[in-house]
Amino acid sequence: MDKKPLRNDWTKEEIEEIYNLPLLELIYKAATVHREWHNPEEVQMSTLLSIKTGGCPEDCSYCGQAARYHTNIKVQALLPTEQVIEHAKKAKDGGSSRFCMAAAWREVRNNRDFNRVIDMVKGVNDLGMEVCCTLGMLTEEQAIRLQEAGLYAYNHNLDTSEQYYEEIISTRTFDNRINTINNVRKAGITVCSGGIIGLGETHRDRISMLLTLATMPKHPESVPINALARVEGTPLQDNEKTNTWEMVRMIATARIIMPSSMVRLSAGRIEMTEFEQGWCFMAGANSIFTGERETLLVTPNPGVSEDMQLLQTLGLKPMKRATEKAMDQFENWKSTC
């Protein structure tokens, strides 16, 4: 089928109209768009590893790694480079095509720890995986260093709408988030940016966040949709569990307005049944986080064996790495010569 051109001129009213469609109609439209732009049988398997845990000076209300909250999360210094590369090798063997490294920093500093992260990026890149980092705020010069080391993607979520942002975080601004994303773009790194639902925001806040993403000069290549993982000791520990149908609605809307992006079903999967996750894939999700540690940073997450069983049940398969796809295309070309 012919793909419609990507749009970066969405209005809030247009997105609101899509978001508020009857649920089954919304899912049908999203599934149709998904099939126009992606192989509906493939799911990108990504692994996220916390390379530096806890002790963060930020006050993100949802995050158990903030030093000011009394949680059961153990502070961990930056992992040795060799240990991180071993985790990446295991992730690759487990079917992951992307390996993301996360450090609980407010911002990147030009010091020995950043030099070690550069070495980690080089090492994972040498494995033939897509390398992603999430390290907090980033200058253009730091982004260039990461790009030169082989970084493929940088994750920097908006979290919520610009209007609701100050209710969740006071130690940085919404514009700080946008500035980092702009610095990543200038360095030629792909962008991974989405948000969290279940923070106490309204539907209008969710629509506003999607509007910000969909009207960027270039859509984020990856859009994570997270359900709040309620961490004991944080201000949002008593929030209600996010309704799965609301996750489905967010995923479907994101798929329709950002059709070329990978839409990642991220935090919150541990509380979803196979049926609920299946609906998310039907609505256009085509990426998940998995891993042998069975955690997503510091919160529970399904493990590799559970996820492979889930894919088998749903008739899905892990997406091949770009290098593998290129090799397959080359072999097909040779066979026709």
Side-chain angles (χ1 to χ4, degrees), residues 279-293:
W279 276 107
C280 291
F281 292 125
M282 178 61 72
N286 60 344
S287 179
I288 59 173
F289 276 122
T290 191
E292 89 275 1
R293 279 188 164 187

Side-chain angles (χ1 to χ4, degrees), residues 129-175:
M129 302 183 77
E130 292 182 1
V131 195
C132 177
C133 281
T134 178
L135 312 169
M137 292 185 288
L138 196 68
T139 67
E140 185 178 350
E141 292 73 24
Q142 291 164 340
I144 290 171
R145 283 194 65 192
L146 287 166
Q147 189 276 334
E148 290 174 343
L151 190 72
Y152 179 82
Y154 196 82
N155 168 259
H156 205 62
N157 288 331
L158 298 182
D159 289 345
T160 189
S161 70
E162 183 175 7
Q163 297 76 17
Y164 192 63
Y165 191 83
E166 291 182 358
E167 299 295 323
I168 301 301
I169 305 162
S170 70
T171 49
R172 71 168 88 172
T173 67
F174 192 82
D175 283 343

Side-chain angles (χ1 to χ4, degrees), residues 317-330:
K317 57 188 178 184
M319 184 178 294
K320 289 186 177 181
R321 291 174 282 274
T323 51
E324 292 177 322
K325 288 184 177 181
M327 185 59 70
D328 287 347
Q329 291 171 349
F330 178 69

Side-chain angles (χ1 to χ4, degrees), residues 191-327:
V191 171
C192 173
S193 187
I196 308 170
I197 67 172
L199 302 174
E201 76 287 348
T202 66
H203 290 287
R204 285 184 174 272
D205 287 316
R206 297 173 187 176
I207 291 164
S208 179
M209 182 190 73
L210 290 174
L211 176 67
T212 300
L213 295 169
T215 55
M216 288 179 174
K218 187 175 183 181
H219 296 160
E221 284 80 1
S222 181
V223 180
I225 303 296
N226 298 274
L228 173 66
R230 296 159 294 171
V231 179
E232 187 175 352
T234 63
L236 302 184
Q237 66 175 15
D238 295 323
N239 280 28
E240 293 183 3
K241 176 184 176 295
T242 303
N243 184 286
T244 299
W245 293 121
E246 295 185 13
M247 284 287 287
V248 169
R249 189 173 290 279
M250 279 291 287
I251 288 167
T253 305
R255 170 53 66 217
I256 291 170
I257 63 177
M258 294 175 281
S260 67
S261 303
M262 305 297 295
V263 177
R264 182 172 296 126
L265 175 59
S266 296
R269 285 200 304 123
I270 195 69
E271 295 190 82
M272 291 183 180
T273 65
E274 284 192 347
F275 297 104
E276 290 172 319
Q277 292 183 70
W279 276 107
C280 291
F281 292 125
M282 178 61 72
N286 60 344
S287 179
I288 59 173
F289 276 122
T290 191
E292 89 275 1
R293 279 188 164 187
E294 300 187 357
T295 57
L296 187 61
L297 292 183
V298 294
T299 56
N301 192 66
V304 175
S305 59
E306 291 176 84
D307 285 333
M308 295 306 292
Q309 180 60 55
L310 171 67
L311 296 190
Q312 183 177 349
T313 298
L314 298 176
L316 301 172
K317 57 188 178 184
M319 184 178 294
K320 289 186 177 181
R321 291 174 282 274
T323 51
E324 292 177 322
K325 288 184 177 181
M327 185 59 70

Side-chain angles (χ1 to χ4, degrees), residues 7-269:
R7 288 185 54 190
N8 303 82
D9 61 349
W10 292 97
T11 66
K12 181 174 285 190
E13 291 73 24
E14 287 175 315
I15 297 176
E16 189 170 16
E17 183 178 354
I18 293 169
Y19 181 91
N20 288 321
L21 284 170
L23 187 59
L24 293 182
E25 177 68 13
L26 175 61
I27 293 170
Y28 173 76
K29 287 181 179 294
T32 301
V33 171
H34 188 190
R35 281 154 177 74
E36 291 173 356
W37 287 83
H38 304 273
N39 182 344
E41 296 179 357
E42 291 186 340
V43 174
Q44 182 190 54
M45 308 286 280
S46 303
T47 296
L48 176 62
L49 176 69
S50 180
I51 59 174
K52 185 272 178 185
T53 306
C56 181
E58 301 271 39
D59 68 351
C60 307
S61 300
Y62 54 82
C63 185
Q65 299 197 67
R68 67 192 66 204
Y69 305 138
H70 301 290
T71 67
N72 294 323
I73 293 168
K74 184 179 179 181
V75 175
Q76 167 196 282
L78 191 66
L79 293 176
T81 302
E82 298 76 13
Q83 186 176 341
V84 172
I85 302 303
E86 284 304 312
H87 278 291
K89 289 177 181 177
K90 289 181 181 179
K92 181 177 180 180
D93 292 341
S96 288
S97 60
R98 176 177 291 197
F99 188 76
C100 188
M101 297 174 282
W105 292 333
R106 167 180 163 75
E107 58 197 344
V108 174
R109 299 186 183 279
N110 296 314
N111 55 22
R112 286 183 297 177
D113 280 351
F114 186 42
N115 293 337
R116 288 171 59 193
V117 172
I118 294 293
D119 289 337
M120 294 174 192
V121 171
K122 291 177 180 177
V124 177
N125 186 55
D126 287 343
L127 297 176
M129 302 183 77
E130 292 182 1
V131 195
C132 177
C133 281
T134 178
L135 312 169
M137 292 185 288
L138 196 68
T139 67
E140 185 178 350
E141 292 73 24
Q142 291 164 340
I144 290 171
R145 283 194 65 192
L146 287 166
Q147 189 276 334
E148 290 174 343
L151 190 72
Y152 179 82
Y154 196 82
N155 168 259
H156 205 62
N157 288 331
L158 298 182
D159 289 345
T160 189
S161 70
E162 183 175 7
Q163 297 76 17
Y164 192 63
Y165 191 83
E166 291 182 358
E167 299 295 323
I168 301 301
I169 305 162
S170 70
T171 49
R172 71 168 88 172
T173 67
F174 192 82
D175 283 343
N176 290 149
R177 299 268 182 183
I178 298 299
N179 289 340
T180 291
I181 291 171
N182 290 339
N183 290 336
V184 168
R185 279 285 183 222
K186 290 175 186 175
I189 300 169
T190 65
V191 171
C192 173
S193 187
I196 308 170
I197 67 172
L199 302 174
E201 76 287 348
T202 66
H203 290 287
R204 285 184 174 272
D205 287 316
R206 297 173 187 176
I207 291 164
S208 179
M209 182 190 73
L210 290 174
L211 176 67
T212 300
L213 295 169
T215 55
M216 288 179 174
K218 187 175 183 181
H219 296 160
E221 284 80 1
S222 181
V223 180
I225 303 296
N226 298 274
L228 173 66
R230 296 159 294 171
V231 179
E232 187 175 352
T234 63
L236 302 184
Q237 66 175 15
D238 295 323
N239 280 28
E240 293 183 3
K241 176 184 176 295
T242 303
N243 184 286
T244 299
W245 293 121
E246 295 185 13
M247 284 287 287
V248 169
R249 189 173 290 279
M250 279 291 287
I251 288 167
T253 305
R255 170 53 66 217
I256 291 170
I257 63 177
M258 294 175 281
S260 67
S261 303
M262 305 297 295
V263 177
R264 182 172 296 126
L265 175 59
S266 296
R269 285 200 304 123

